[in-house]
Amino acid sequence: MQAEPVITLSKARLVMGQRMILRDVTAVIERGGPTVLLGPNGCGKTSLLKAMMGLVSLTSGTVDRHVGRASFVLQKPVMLRRSVYDNLAFARQTAGLPHSESVMTDLLNDFSLTHLAHAPARRLSGGEQQRLAIARALAREPALLFLDEPTASLDVAQTRLVEDLIARISARGVKIILSTHDLGQAKRIADDVLFLVEGQLAEQAPMASFFHAARSSQARAFLAGELVSIDGEKP
Amino acid sequence: MDATSAFSLILERDPALFAIVGLSLWVSLSATLLAGALGAGLGSAVALTRFPGRQGVVVVLNALMGLPPVVVGLLVYLALSRSGPLGQFGILFTPTAMIIAQTILIVPIIAALTRQVMEDLWGEYADELNAMGVTPWRRMRVLLWDARFSLVTILLAGFGRAAAEVGAVMIVGGNIDGFTRVMTTTIALETSKGNLPLAMGLGVILLTIVVAVNSLAWAVRAWAERHAG
Amino acid sequence: MKLGKALLVSAFLTAVVLPASAQDNFITVASTTSTQDSGLFGHILPLFKARTGIDVKVIAQGTGQALDTARRGDADVVFVHARAAEEKFLAEGFGVKRFDVMYNDFVLIGPKNDPAQLAGGQDVVAALRRLYEKTQPFVSRGDKSGTHQAELDLWKVAGLDPAATKPSWYREIGQGMGAALNTASAMGAYVLADRGTWLGFKNKEALKIVVEGDRRMFNQYGIMLVNPAKHSHVKAQLGQTFVNWIVSQEGQDAIRSYKIMGEQLFFPNATATTL
């Protein structure tokens, strides 16, 4: 298959205060199905996503984006104090895109939000807010979509709904990069996996080989349900 | 001093009283609108920018919330007096002078409270708006719009302060009968004439007006929040 | 948003432009709380307006403050009652010419039960000496008003100076006549008041006149046009019209006819009634 890079990371390092958040991460993420950043809590998934989006500046190293517009869905999305419809319209506006009723109608429809179009966004349930957040990201017509732990606070039914949406968005050709600490979710969604331990890229592999033939000792330990740290020992 | 006699006294003075109430509302609402524009702009600017000495500005704004009305009145008086720097305009002892004084009095209140609200809201929105790549100018507009319900409450605080003060309008307005006499200066005057029942009745009316304005704003806010919150 | 801005702009324009252009036929008179609180202006100004069409805006302050307002150029006419201060104002060149207008008198007011037993006396100086000896609470205006000046002069005649020694029974409140009467009423104190304010005062329950009729309690009012040579914007013509009217037969009659409960408050005594 022709390799078509979406993101190139080269020795990406991020230091905040005394802590090293990202340790010289070097990787190429290619076009295709969803890429999942996997790893235990606090491993630097969110920071890496934000660095790729350009929301945090690296201490050293580089990150290059090779595609057009990107959207980012925060782990805890903030609903603007407006209606569902106005949240979508605003997001589209920030991308410099012209207003389009048909786009709005489709988005509301795709995300089962039509009946809530004029409800205040902040009154929505957790699942509805998460759907709106993703819809809002798509209103910007991105080529690349970052999702930070998109189902962290959702129940099973809502999680299934969101995962279905992710699959549909990916099928439309939008490159998705999402973070999760949930092995099962990675398995269900991922095309390939970046496995992070304490800010270090421990392994990058296609989904199947990661789960069935992990090369790194940390990945094998994580898959076995153990706590892991950089040197592979139990902390 | 019973309430009935107070109200019959008030009702006998109808036309003059309506003029006084009208002027009070006109002066204090104008000052609130002007101070709202100035204060919200200033507060937002301080909330959303970083510059050397910013902490000092924040402290000063907060401190000026307690600005004594008589001090404001005196400063405006000295500025607008014929012997003062702005004397040529001849606006001392006019409603304009009163609006200016009350505006100065409440700009710090509105600015300080706006800064707090905007800073909190920015703390909440920063990641989201940055992720959308929002420009600083649009950022300010978004935050002002989304803080609109809090801003209404802030404006009410400003209006309450303006409508209730007597020190500044007395000095710069001169309490001229039929021209610069407002509720609070009338109350002060009637008190000094020993007309305590009338003064009390006027106080009740002033209170009623402030409560009415607040209720109205609260109702609008509640309605709007249900539909847009 | 747009509507708000439009409202704001129009509000500002109205506020700034209207008072300046629409109502130029008025003068500003700096006067005393006694003339205003007693209701005299409410009685005579409509008559003046009917005759001349001129609106009179009265700023009621203590005499000292009223003269200062005029010194700054913020009034066209001063109408006050403190002879010495008025002479000084003239000497400084701030006034054009002073005219006697009217007089009334001061009265010594005390609590109804009159603990110093002054009631019925006619000698105000003796009364003050007695208050001093008995250290009875006394409220002083303490605001450089005409009444305050008169009070200080009376203490001087009595050979006493509580304003300097500040004994605890001598309370300077720094406020107007009405406030002083309210204070005296609340603390059962004695107070010197002008008769006009006293008659117009509504909260008399706990108070009564204890000394009156002493010739040393004579209270003369004067009127002056502020000197246009000092402040060029002074409305000399309109102001002079007012001064002339006040000392004219018509103005003097208007003052004479002002009564509360049948009692005349001010006694016109202008000498130049033929102006």
Side-chain angles (χ1 to χ4, degrees), chain B residues 26 33 37 77-78 81-83 92-93 96 99 176 179 181 189 191-196, chain C residues 8 11-12 15 19 23 36-37 57-59 69 72-74 178 182 201-203 231 233:
Chain B
W26 163 244
L33 282 180
Y77 175 85
L78 292 174
S81 166
R82 289 288 184 180
S83 306
L92 187 65
F93 303 141
T96 307
I99 291 172
I176 298 167
F179 186 57
R181 186 163 294 172
L189 177 65
T191 303
S192 79
K193 283 155 89 172
N195 214 339
L196 304 186
Chain C
L8 216 68
F12 189 72
Q23 296 183 296
Q36 161 139 323
D37 292 2
K57 295 179 177 169
V58 179
I59 318 288
T69 298
R72 300 186 61 87
D74 294 322
N182 276 330
F201 189 67
K202 300 278 190 353
N203 187 23
H231 293 288
H233 57 268

mmCIF file of all heavy atoms in Angstrom, chain B residues 26 33 37 77-78 81-83 92-93 96 99 176 179 181 189 191-196, chain C residues 8 11-12 15 19 23 36-37 57-59 69 72-74 178 182 201-203 231 233:
data_model
loop_
_atom_site.group_PDB
_atom_site.id
_atom_site.type_symbol
_atom_site.label_atom_id
_atom_site.label_comp_id
_atom_site.label_asym_id
_atom_site.label_seq_id
_atom_site.Cartn_x
_atom_site.Cartn_y
_atom_site.Cartn_z
ATOM 1 N N TRP B 26 -33.919 58.098 34.272
ATOM 2 C CA TRP B 26 -33.175 58.553 33.094
ATOM 3 C C TRP B 26 -31.684 58.664 33.404
ATOM 4 O O TRP B 26 -30.839 58.132 32.677
ATOM 5 C CB TRP B 26 -33.750 59.887 32.621
ATOM 6 C CG TRP B 26 -32.853 60.648 31.688
ATOM 7 C CD1 TRP B 26 -32.274 61.854 31.919
ATOM 8 C CD2 TRP B 26 -32.433 60.253 30.371
ATOM 9 N NE1 TRP B 26 -31.524 62.232 30.840
ATOM 10 C CE2 TRP B 26 -31.600 61.267 29.867
ATOM 11 C CE3 TRP B 26 -32.676 59.135 29.595
ATOM 12 C CZ2 TRP B 26 -31.004 61.210 28.617
ATOM 13 C CZ3 TRP B 26 -32.083 59.064 28.333
ATOM 14 C CH2 TRP B 26 -31.262 60.090 27.857
ATOM 15 N N LEU B 33 -25.955 52.368 31.175
ATOM 16 C CA LEU B 33 -25.640 51.980 29.799
ATOM 17 C C LEU B 33 -24.233 52.422 29.406
ATOM 18 O O LEU B 33 -23.443 51.650 28.852
ATOM 19 C CB LEU B 33 -26.663 52.586 28.832
ATOM 20 C CG LEU B 33 -28.012 51.865 28.762
ATOM 21 C CD1 LEU B 33 -28.929 52.561 27.781
ATOM 22 C CD2 LEU B 33 -27.812 50.408 28.358
ATOM 23 N N ALA B 37 -21.023 49.934 28.709
ATOM 24 C CA ALA B 37 -20.191 49.853 27.506
ATOM 25 C C ALA B 37 -18.713 50.011 27.882
ATOM 26 O O ALA B 37 -17.864 49.219 27.470
ATOM 27 C CB ALA B 37 -20.606 50.932 26.514
ATOM 28 N N TYR B 77 -17.315 67.694 40.090
ATOM 29 C CA TYR B 77 -17.647 69.099 40.339
ATOM 30 C C TYR B 77 -16.469 70.000 39.972
ATOM 31 O O TYR B 77 -16.608 70.969 39.231
ATOM 32 C CB TYR B 77 -18.021 69.281 41.810
ATOM 33 C CG TYR B 77 -18.279 70.715 42.203
ATOM 34 C CD1 TYR B 77 -19.534 71.282 42.011
ATOM 35 C CD2 TYR B 77 -17.288 71.497 42.766
ATOM 36 C CE1 TYR B 77 -19.789 72.595 42.353
ATOM 37 C CE2 TYR B 77 -17.520 72.817 43.116
ATOM 38 C CZ TYR B 77 -18.772 73.359 42.913
ATOM 39 O OH TYR B 77 -19.020 74.667 43.247
ATOM 40 N N LEU B 78 -15.293 69.632 40.466
ATOM 41 C CA LEU B 78 -14.107 70.457 40.205
ATOM 42 C C LEU B 78 -13.778 70.483 38.716
ATOM 43 O O LEU B 78 -13.338 71.496 38.185
ATOM 44 C CB LEU B 78 -12.909 69.934 41.002
ATOM 45 C CG LEU B 78 -13.033 70.115 42.516
ATOM 46 C CD1 LEU B 78 -11.874 69.450 43.243
ATOM 47 C CD2 LEU B 78 -13.108 71.601 42.867
ATOM 48 N N SER B 81 -16.826 72.569 36.938
ATOM 49 C CA SER B 81 -17.053 73.933 37.390
ATOM 50 C C SER B 81 -16.499 74.922 36.369
ATOM 51 O O SER B 81 -15.557 74.632 35.644
ATOM 52 C CB SER B 81 -16.351 74.142 38.742
ATOM 53 O OG SER B 81 -16.293 75.517 39.033
ATOM 54 N N ARG B 82 -17.113 76.100 36.336
ATOM 55 C CA ARG B 82 -16.641 77.135 35.400
ATOM 56 C C ARG B 82 -15.159 77.411 35.569
ATOM 57 O O ARG B 82 -14.479 77.801 34.635
ATOM 58 C CB ARG B 82 -17.428 78.428 35.619
ATOM 59 C CG ARG B 82 -18.867 78.342 35.156
ATOM 60 C CD ARG B 82 -18.961 78.332 33.645
ATOM 61 N NE ARG B 82 -20.349 78.332 33.185
ATOM 62 C CZ ARG B 82 -20.703 78.324 31.913
ATOM 63 N NH1 ARG B 82 -19.777 78.298 30.965
ATOM 64 N NH2 ARG B 82 -21.971 78.324 31.575
ATOM 65 N N SER B 83 -14.653 77.219 36.786
ATOM 66 C CA SER B 83 -13.230 77.445 37.028
ATOM 67 C C SER B 83 -12.405 76.193 36.767
ATOM 68 O O SER B 83 -11.195 76.198 36.930
ATOM 69 C CB SER B 83 -13.007 77.888 38.476
ATOM 70 O OG SER B 83 -13.817 78.996 38.767
ATOM 71 N N LEU B 92 -22.162 71.861 34.568
ATOM 72 C CA LEU B 92 -22.357 71.647 35.998
ATOM 73 C C LEU B 92 -23.800 71.978 36.339
ATOM 74 O O LEU B 92 -24.414 72.843 35.715
ATOM 75 C CB LEU B 92 -21.415 72.554 36.796
ATOM 76 C CG LEU B 92 -21.389 72.304 38.303
ATOM 77 C CD1 LEU B 92 -20.825 70.922 38.611
ATOM 78 C CD2 LEU B 92 -20.576 73.368 39.022
ATOM 79 N N PHE B 93 -24.349 71.293 37.335
ATOM 80 C CA PHE B 93 -25.746 71.485 37.746
ATOM 81 C C PHE B 93 -26.724 71.145 36.624
ATOM 82 O O PHE B 93 -27.737 71.818 36.436
ATOM 83 C CB PHE B 93 -25.999 72.918 38.241
ATOM 84 C CG PHE B 93 -25.113 73.326 39.387
ATOM 85 C CD1 PHE B 93 -24.583 74.612 39.460
ATOM 86 C CD2 PHE B 93 -24.806 72.439 40.400
ATOM 87 C CE1 PHE B 93 -23.767 74.994 40.519
ATOM 88 C CE2 PHE B 93 -23.994 72.812 41.466
ATOM 89 C CZ PHE B 93 -23.467 74.096 41.520
ATOM 90 N N THR B 96 -26.776 66.054 32.738
ATOM 91 C CA THR B 96 -25.585 65.500 32.087
ATOM 92 C C THR B 96 -24.458 65.303 33.097
ATOM 93 O O THR B 96 -23.785 64.267 33.104
ATOM 94 C CB THR B 96 -25.102 66.445 30.970
ATOM 95 O OG1 THR B 96 -26.202 66.705 30.107
ATOM 96 C CG2 THR B 96 -23.975 65.813 30.183
ATOM 97 N N ILE B 99 -25.158 62.301 35.112
ATOM 98 C CA ILE B 99 -24.898 61.059 34.383
ATOM 99 C C ILE B 99 -23.395 60.772 34.369
ATOM 100 O O ILE B 99 -22.955 59.652 34.599
ATOM 101 C CB ILE B 99 -25.452 61.149 32.942
ATOM 102 C CG1 ILE B 99 -26.981 61.175 32.980
ATOM 103 C CG2 ILE B 99 -24.959 59.987 32.095
ATOM 104 C CD1 ILE B 99 -27.636 61.461 31.638
ATOM 105 N N ILE B 176 -31.588 70.944 42.043
ATOM 106 C CA ILE B 176 -32.430 72.054 41.588
ATOM 107 C C ILE B 176 -33.847 71.550 41.329
ATOM 108 O O ILE B 176 -34.031 70.595 40.572
ATOM 109 C CB ILE B 176 -31.858 72.692 40.312
ATOM 110 C CG1 ILE B 176 -30.467 73.267 40.603
ATOM 111 C CG2 ILE B 176 -32.793 73.777 39.787
ATOM 112 C CD1 ILE B 176 -29.694 73.640 39.358
ATOM 113 N N PHE B 179 -35.400 70.247 37.913
ATOM 114 C CA PHE B 179 -34.361 70.169 36.887
ATOM 115 C C PHE B 179 -33.326 69.080 37.184
ATOM 116 O O PHE B 179 -33.037 68.248 36.330
ATOM 117 C CB PHE B 179 -33.678 71.523 36.745
ATOM 118 C CG PHE B 179 -32.685 71.595 35.619
ATOM 119 C CD1 PHE B 179 -33.062 71.303 34.313
ATOM 120 C CD2 PHE B 179 -31.369 71.960 35.862
ATOM 121 C CE1 PHE B 179 -32.153 71.357 33.276
ATOM 122 C CE2 PHE B 179 -30.446 72.020 34.824
ATOM 123 C CZ PHE B 179 -30.843 71.720 33.524
ATOM 124 N N ARG B 181 -33.429 67.475 40.416
ATOM 125 C CA ARG B 181 -33.839 66.823 41.660
ATOM 126 C C ARG B 181 -34.259 65.396 41.366
ATOM 127 O O ARG B 181 -35.125 65.158 40.544
ATOM 128 C CB ARG B 181 -34.987 67.602 42.312
ATOM 129 C CG ARG B 181 -35.359 67.069 43.679
ATOM 130 C CD ARG B 181 -36.175 68.076 44.455
ATOM 131 N NE ARG B 181 -35.377 69.254 44.769
ATOM 132 C CZ ARG B 181 -35.877 70.350 45.301
ATOM 133 N NH1 ARG B 181 -37.181 70.439 45.565
ATOM 134 N NH2 ARG B 181 -35.091 71.377 45.551
ATOM 135 N N LEU B 189 -33.545 66.062 51.023
ATOM 136 C CA LEU B 189 -34.128 67.378 51.259
ATOM 137 C C LEU B 189 -35.328 67.296 52.201
ATOM 138 O O LEU B 189 -35.433 68.072 53.152
ATOM 139 C CB LEU B 189 -34.555 68.005 49.926
ATOM 140 C CG LEU B 189 -35.251 69.357 50.028
ATOM 141 C CD1 LEU B 189 -34.290 70.402 50.571
ATOM 142 C CD2 LEU B 189 -35.793 69.802 48.677
ATOM 143 N N THR B 191 -35.988 65.055 54.342
ATOM 144 C CA THR B 191 -35.503 64.721 55.682
ATOM 145 C C THR B 191 -35.025 65.983 56.386
ATOM 146 O O THR B 191 -35.336 66.225 57.551
ATOM 147 C CB THR B 191 -34.354 63.698 55.602
ATOM 148 O OG1 THR B 191 -34.817 62.548 54.904
ATOM 149 C CG2 THR B 191 -33.894 63.279 56.993
ATOM 150 N N SER B 192 -34.295 66.822 55.654
ATOM 151 C CA SER B 192 -33.753 68.023 56.291
ATOM 152 C C SER B 192 -34.863 69.011 56.618
ATOM 153 O O SER B 192 -34.705 69.857 57.486
ATOM 154 C CB SER B 192 -32.685 68.670 55.397
ATOM 155 O OG SER B 192 -33.292 69.406 54.372
ATOM 156 N N LYS B 193 -35.990 68.899 55.891
ATOM 157 C CA LYS B 193 -37.116 69.765 56.230
ATOM 158 C C LYS B 193 -37.946 69.177 57.358
ATOM 159 O O LYS B 193 -38.987 69.707 57.720
ATOM 160 C CB LYS B 193 -38.011 69.968 55.000
ATOM 161 C CG LYS B 193 -37.424 70.960 54.010
ATOM 162 C CD LYS B 193 -37.921 70.723 52.621
ATOM 163 C CE LYS B 193 -39.198 71.464 52.315
ATOM 164 N NZ LYS B 193 -39.524 71.321 50.865
ATOM 165 N N GLY B 194 -37.485 68.048 57.885
ATOM 166 C CA GLY B 194 -38.209 67.423 58.984
ATOM 167 C C GLY B 194 -39.450 66.699 58.522
ATOM 168 O O GLY B 194 -40.274 66.283 59.335
ATOM 169 N N ASN B 195 -39.563 66.530 57.185
ATOM 170 C CA ASN B 195 -40.751 65.893 56.639
ATOM 171 C C ASN B 195 -40.513 64.397 56.534
ATOM 172 O O ASN B 195 -40.457 63.826 55.450
ATOM 173 C CB ASN B 195 -41.022 66.490 55.256
ATOM 174 C CG ASN B 195 -42.498 66.560 54.977
ATOM 175 O OD1 ASN B 195 -43.276 65.839 55.597
ATOM 176 N ND2 ASN B 195 -42.879 67.406 54.045
ATOM 177 N N LEU B 196 -40.393 63.764 57.680
ATOM 178 C CA LEU B 196 -39.951 62.374 57.691
ATOM 179 C C LEU B 196 -40.938 61.409 57.043
ATOM 180 O O LEU B 196 -40.511 60.490 56.347
ATOM 181 C CB LEU B 196 -39.609 61.949 59.126
ATOM 182 C CG LEU B 196 -38.562 62.845 59.802
ATOM 183 C CD1 LEU B 196 -38.155 62.284 61.154
ATOM 184 C CD2 LEU B 196 -37.329 63.029 58.927
ATOM 185 N N LEU C 8 -27.598 53.866 22.933
ATOM 186 C CA LEU C 8 -26.533 54.486 23.705
ATOM 187 C C LEU C 8 -26.157 55.839 23.131
ATOM 188 O O LEU C 8 -26.049 56.835 23.831
ATOM 189 C CB LEU C 8 -25.316 53.555 23.651
ATOM 190 C CG LEU C 8 -24.495 53.489 24.915
ATOM 191 C CD1 LEU C 8 -25.321 52.805 25.987
ATOM 192 C CD2 LEU C 8 -23.236 52.702 24.665
ATOM 193 N N ALA C 11 -28.949 58.303 23.572
ATOM 194 C CA ALA C 11 -29.043 58.702 24.975
ATOM 195 C C ALA C 11 -27.993 59.747 25.293
ATOM 196 O O ALA C 11 -28.265 60.780 25.909
ATOM 197 C CB ALA C 11 -28.850 57.490 25.878
ATOM 198 N N PHE C 12 -26.788 59.491 24.809
ATOM 199 C CA PHE C 12 -25.694 60.394 25.116
ATOM 200 C C PHE C 12 -25.922 61.765 24.476
ATOM 201 O O PHE C 12 -25.781 62.793 25.115
ATOM 202 C CB PHE C 12 -24.376 59.791 24.636
ATOM 203 C CG PHE C 12 -23.186 60.570 25.103
ATOM 204 C CD1 PHE C 12 -22.810 60.514 26.438
ATOM 205 C CD2 PHE C 12 -22.466 61.365 24.237
ATOM 206 C CE1 PHE C 12 -21.729 61.244 26.884
ATOM 207 C CE2 PHE C 12 -21.380 62.095 24.682
ATOM 208 C CZ PHE C 12 -21.016 62.025 26.015
ATOM 209 N N ALA C 15 -28.581 63.662 26.244
ATOM 210 C CA ALA C 15 -28.130 64.138 27.548
ATOM 211 C C ALA C 15 -27.226 65.350 27.406
ATOM 212 O O ALA C 15 -27.289 66.287 28.187
ATOM 213 C CB ALA C 15 -27.407 63.018 28.278
ATOM 214 N N PRO C 19 -29.896 69.981 27.353
ATOM 215 C CA PRO C 19 -29.900 71.024 28.368
ATOM 216 C C PRO C 19 -29.198 72.287 27.878
ATOM 217 O O PRO C 19 -29.539 73.388 28.268
ATOM 218 C CB PRO C 19 -29.122 70.405 29.519
ATOM 219 C CG PRO C 19 -29.052 68.956 29.210
ATOM 220 C CD PRO C 19 -29.180 68.814 27.731
ATOM 221 N N GLN C 23 -32.973 75.130 26.738
ATOM 222 C CA GLN C 23 -33.457 75.923 27.859
ATOM 223 C C GLN C 23 -32.435 76.974 28.270
ATOM 224 O O GLN C 23 -31.844 76.881 29.329
ATOM 225 C CB GLN C 23 -33.710 75.021 29.074
ATOM 226 C CG GLN C 23 -34.796 73.994 28.855
ATOM 227 C CD GLN C 23 -35.021 73.210 30.117
ATOM 228 O OE1 GLN C 23 -34.145 72.498 30.595
ATOM 229 N NE2 GLN C 23 -36.198 73.316 30.697
ATOM 230 N N GLN C 36 -34.604 78.037 50.874
ATOM 231 C CA GLN C 36 -35.230 76.917 50.176
ATOM 232 C C GLN C 36 -36.093 76.068 51.101
ATOM 233 O O GLN C 36 -37.249 75.788 50.805
ATOM 234 C CB GLN C 36 -34.153 76.039 49.546
ATOM 235 C CG GLN C 36 -34.680 74.672 49.215
ATOM 236 C CD GLN C 36 -34.173 74.177 47.892
ATOM 237 O OE1 GLN C 36 -34.018 74.932 46.941
ATOM 238 N NE2 GLN C 36 -33.917 72.900 47.814
ATOM 239 N N ASP C 37 -35.511 75.647 52.242
ATOM 240 C CA ASP C 37 -36.242 74.737 53.124
ATOM 241 C C ASP C 37 -37.498 75.378 53.703
ATOM 242 O O ASP C 37 -38.462 74.701 54.025
ATOM 243 C CB ASP C 37 -35.337 74.245 54.270
ATOM 244 C CG ASP C 37 -34.231 73.325 53.758
ATOM 245 O OD1 ASP C 37 -34.182 73.121 52.528
ATOM 246 O OD2 ASP C 37 -33.440 72.822 54.568
ATOM 247 N N LYS C 57 -32.905 78.534 38.659
ATOM 248 C CA LYS C 57 -32.450 77.266 39.233
ATOM 249 C C LYS C 57 -31.724 77.579 40.528
ATOM 250 O O LYS C 57 -30.700 78.265 40.532
ATOM 251 C CB LYS C 57 -31.518 76.560 38.259
ATOM 252 C CG LYS C 57 -32.250 76.145 36.997
ATOM 253 C CD LYS C 57 -31.308 75.481 36.052
ATOM 254 C CE LYS C 57 -32.095 74.999 34.828
ATOM 255 N NZ LYS C 57 -31.175 74.572 33.771
ATOM 256 N N VAL C 58 -32.257 77.059 41.614
ATOM 257 C CA VAL C 58 -31.698 77.381 42.919
ATOM 258 C C VAL C 58 -30.823 76.245 43.425
ATOM 259 O O VAL C 58 -31.252 75.095 43.480
ATOM 260 C CB VAL C 58 -32.825 77.645 43.938
ATOM 261 C CG1 VAL C 58 -32.221 77.946 45.306
ATOM 262 C CG2 VAL C 58 -33.703 78.793 43.477
ATOM 263 N N ILE C 59 -29.588 76.580 43.748
ATOM 264 C CA ILE C 59 -28.713 75.642 44.442
ATOM 265 C C ILE C 59 -28.717 76.063 45.896
ATOM 266 O O ILE C 59 -28.232 77.149 46.225
ATOM 267 C CB ILE C 59 -27.261 75.722 43.932
ATOM 268 C CG1 ILE C 59 -27.199 75.831 42.412
ATOM 269 C CG2 ILE C 59 -26.428 74.566 44.445
ATOM 270 C CD1 ILE C 59 -27.541 74.587 41.680
ATOM 271 N N THR C 69 -19.407 78.713 45.577
ATOM 272 C CA THR C 69 -19.955 78.305 44.272
ATOM 273 C C THR C 69 -19.933 79.477 43.302
ATOM 274 O O THR C 69 -19.526 79.346 42.143
ATOM 275 C CB THR C 69 -21.398 77.795 44.448
ATOM 276 O OG1 THR C 69 -21.378 76.649 45.300
ATOM 277 C CG2 THR C 69 -22.014 77.403 43.105
ATOM 278 N N ARG C 72 -16.450 80.418 42.091
ATOM 279 C CA ARG C 72 -15.962 79.540 41.018
ATOM 280 C C ARG C 72 -16.642 79.846 39.693
ATOM 281 O O ARG C 72 -16.291 79.276 38.670
ATOM 282 C CB ARG C 72 -16.203 78.075 41.371
ATOM 283 C CG ARG C 72 -15.506 77.612 42.646
ATOM 284 C CD ARG C 72 -15.688 76.122 42.809
ATOM 285 N NE ARG C 72 -15.104 75.415 41.682
ATOM 286 C CZ ARG C 72 -13.830 75.047 41.627
ATOM 287 N NH1 ARG C 72 -13.030 75.277 42.630
ATOM 288 N NH2 ARG C 72 -13.364 74.437 40.569
ATOM 289 N N GLY C 73 -17.659 80.708 39.742
ATOM 290 C CA GLY C 73 -18.352 81.054 38.508
ATOM 291 C C GLY C 73 -19.497 80.131 38.174
ATOM 292 O O GLY C 73 -19.973 80.101 37.048
ATOM 293 N N ASP C 74 -19.955 79.352 39.159
ATOM 294 C CA ASP C 74 -20.997 78.380 38.886
ATOM 295 C C ASP C 74 -22.392 78.898 39.197
ATOM 296 O O ASP C 74 -23.356 78.127 39.201
ATOM 297 C CB ASP C 74 -20.710 77.093 39.650
ATOM 298 C CG ASP C 74 -19.435 76.429 39.135
ATOM 299 O OD1 ASP C 74 -19.220 76.462 37.917
ATOM 300 O OD2 ASP C 74 -18.654 75.899 39.948
ATOM 301 N N GLY C 178 -31.977 72.015 58.522
ATOM 302 C CA GLY C 178 -32.936 70.950 58.794
ATOM 303 C C GLY C 178 -32.288 69.790 59.524
ATOM 304 O O GLY C 178 -32.817 69.262 60.504
ATOM 305 N N ASN C 182 -33.192 68.232 63.145
ATOM 306 C CA ASN C 182 -33.443 66.802 63.356
ATOM 307 C C ASN C 182 -32.516 66.238 64.430
ATOM 308 O O ASN C 182 -32.939 65.452 65.284
ATOM 309 C CB ASN C 182 -33.222 66.017 62.053
ATOM 310 C CG ASN C 182 -34.449 66.046 61.151
ATOM 311 O OD1 ASN C 182 -35.586 66.126 61.631
ATOM 312 N ND2 ASN C 182 -34.224 65.982 59.842
ATOM 313 N N PHE C 201 -40.346 73.735 59.313
ATOM 314 C CA PHE C 201 -39.876 72.421 59.749
ATOM 315 C C PHE C 201 -41.032 71.567 60.261
ATOM 316 O O PHE C 201 -41.866 72.018 61.041
ATOM 317 C CB PHE C 201 -38.826 72.615 60.850
ATOM 318 C CG PHE C 201 -38.109 71.359 61.242
ATOM 319 C CD1 PHE C 201 -37.263 70.720 60.345
ATOM 320 C CD2 PHE C 201 -38.258 70.829 62.508
ATOM 321 C CE1 PHE C 201 -36.588 69.566 60.710
ATOM 322 C CE2 PHE C 201 -37.588 69.674 62.885
ATOM 323 C CZ PHE C 201 -36.756 69.048 61.979
ATOM 324 N N LYS C 202 -41.079 70.312 59.795
ATOM 325 C CA LYS C 202 -42.244 69.476 60.093
ATOM 326 C C LYS C 202 -42.054 68.555 61.296
ATOM 327 O O LYS C 202 -42.995 67.974 61.787
ATOM 328 C CB LYS C 202 -42.564 68.608 58.870
ATOM 329 C CG LYS C 202 -42.888 69.396 57.620
ATOM 330 C CD LYS C 202 -44.326 69.836 57.656
ATOM 331 C CE LYS C 202 -44.855 70.428 56.353
ATOM 332 N NZ LYS C 202 -43.944 70.666 55.285
ATOM 333 N N ASN C 203 -40.831 68.389 61.739
ATOM 334 C CA ASN C 203 -40.554 67.385 62.779
ATOM 335 C C ASN C 203 -40.333 68.063 64.129
ATOM 336 O O ASN C 203 -39.349 67.846 64.807
ATOM 337 C CB ASN C 203 -39.318 66.575 62.352
ATOM 338 C CG ASN C 203 -39.047 65.401 63.272
ATOM 339 O OD1 ASN C 203 -39.953 64.913 63.946
ATOM 340 N ND2 ASN C 203 -37.801 64.960 63.317
ATOM 341 N N HIS C 231 -16.225 86.428 35.702
ATOM 342 C CA HIS C 231 -16.647 85.232 34.971
ATOM 343 C C HIS C 231 -17.508 85.671 33.794
ATOM 344 O O HIS C 231 -18.674 86.016 33.952
ATOM 345 C CB HIS C 231 -17.442 84.292 35.885
ATOM 346 C CG HIS C 231 -16.600 83.708 36.984
ATOM 347 N ND1 HIS C 231 -15.636 82.753 36.742
ATOM 348 C CD2 HIS C 231 -16.575 83.950 38.312
ATOM 349 C CE1 HIS C 231 -15.060 82.421 37.878
ATOM 350 N NE2 HIS C 231 -15.596 83.130 38.856
ATOM 351 N N HIS C 233 -19.056 84.287 31.448
ATOM 352 C CA HIS C 233 -20.270 83.594 31.025
ATOM 353 C C HIS C 233 -21.458 83.909 31.936
ATOM 354 O O HIS C 233 -22.550 83.419 31.708
ATOM 355 C CB HIS C 233 -20.026 82.098 31.035
ATOM 356 C CG HIS C 233 -19.588 81.647 32.380
ATOM 357 N ND1 HIS C 233 -18.257 81.576 32.719
ATOM 358 C CD2 HIS C 233 -20.290 81.345 33.468
ATOM 359 C CE1 HIS C 233 -18.172 81.210 33.985
ATOM 360 N NE2 HIS C 233 -19.374 81.074 34.464
#
